[in-house]
Amino acid sequence: GPGDRGCENGALMDRFGIFLQGLLGVVAFSTLMLKRFREPKHERRPWRIWFLDTSKQAIGMLFIHFANVYLSDLTEEDPCSLYLINFLLDATLGMLLIYIGIRAVSSIVEWQQWESLRFGEYG
């Protein structure tokens, strides 16, 4: 009806949904590439280090994305709104928990002087 909002069940996995997800993935990757080329050359990480950093982010984002798509399709309600809620929770509370975890582990690594476990150090 005229008051309906959101999308129907299965809309995240139809042709347009898949196209839109792919397009957003290309935009996200292009943004990372643009960011890399906009860094000053003397501060730019080598390709290997950049790839290791971005691949960890990409794997995590893909896992969360597919989990959100799967969970959103389990409901009889609007899957797009549920996906958005899951994404926002991950982007706020999830990032806060990750930040706290990284700070705690970094403190323990510094305290114990475990050189091989320092974040961002690849040898």
Side-chain angles (χ1 to χ4, degrees):
D4 288 343
R5 295 184 182 184
C7 60
E8 299 173 357
N9 222 1
L12 295 172
M13 296 304 292
D14 65 4
R15 283 184 186 209
F16 180 70
I18 298 285
F19 169 75
L20 193 57
Q21 292 173 53
L23 181 64
L24 291 173
V26 168
V27 168
F29 182 73
S30 299
T31 302
L32 287 173
M33 291 295 292
L34 179 64
K35 179 183 176 289
R36 175 178 166 59
F37 288 117
R38 297 286 297 163
E39 292 174 345
K41 285 194 181 216
H42 63 279
E43 293 178 14
R44 196 177 296 166
R45 296 168 291 173
W47 278 105
R48 180 175 175 262
I49 303 297
W50 180 85
F51 176 76
L52 290 171
D53 286 341
T54 55
S55 64
K56 287 184 290 189
Q57 293 174 4
I59 290 167
M61 289 185 323
L62 282 171
F63 176 78
I64 292 297
H65 172 72
F66 287 117
N68 283 341
V69 168
Y70 175 75
L71 291 172
S72 296
D73 275 344
L74 291 179
T75 182
E76 295 295 324
E77 302 298 319
D78 176 17
C80 295
S81 295
L82 185 58
Y83 180 90
L84 181 61
I85 291 168
N86 288 339
F87 175 78
L88 291 175
L89 283 173
D90 177 55
T92 55
L93 292 177
M95 292 304 290
L96 178 63
L97 289 174
I98 289 170
Y99 174 77
I100 292 168
I102 287 175
R103 296 293 292 193
V105 169
S106 292
S107 296
I108 293 169
V109 165
E110 290 295 322
W111 176 58
Q112 293 291 327
Q113 297 181 351
W114 292 328
E115 298 295 323
S116 61
L117 295 179
R118 291 181 193 260
F119 286 103
E121 298 291 327
Y122 300 107

